[in-house]
Amino acid sequence: MIPIKLPKEQKLEIASRVQGYFEDERSESIGQLGAEQLIDFMISELGPYIYNKAIEDARAFITEKMAQIDDDLYALEKPLRNWNK
């Protein structure tokens, strides 16, 4: 799997949220570098699980849509004449 690289603006926004979380929920202070390192760690550790779940969800969605398309195609079929009469 290709490592996920966040655009700088997104990483800064997420780092700010991580810092806010630590302040609000844990009454701890975490610096910008620490927040960015935590983000990188979480992406490397959780990323494959989240990615695989997204693939599984996409596969289920596509399978469902293909079944619907298959049903629609059967509904479009024209009846055949019985030539044996």
Side-chain angles (χ1 to χ4, degrees), residues 13-76:
E13 173 64 28
I14 296 169
S16 176
R17 290 180 177 190
V18 167
Q19 288 175 299
Y21 170 82
F22 270 80
E23 284 290 334
D24 297 341
E25 300 296 325
R26 301 179 52 94
S27 298
E28 296 177 24
S29 183
I30 183 173
Q32 181 72 26
L33 179 60
E36 289 183 24
Q37 288 174 337
L38 178 60
I39 292 165
D40 291 339
F41 173 76
M42 297 304 285
I43 287 173
S44 70
E45 292 298 313
L46 295 176
Y49 295 99
I50 294 168
Y51 178 86
N52 289 343
K53 177 62 174 145
I55 293 295
E56 179 184 325
D57 291 349
R59 184 179 290 118
F61 177 80
I62 290 170
T63 300
E64 180 183 324
K65 291 299 178 186
M66 289 300 293
Q68 289 174 359
I69 290 170
D70 195 43
D71 291 343
D72 291 343
L73 290 173
Y74 277 115
L76 292 173

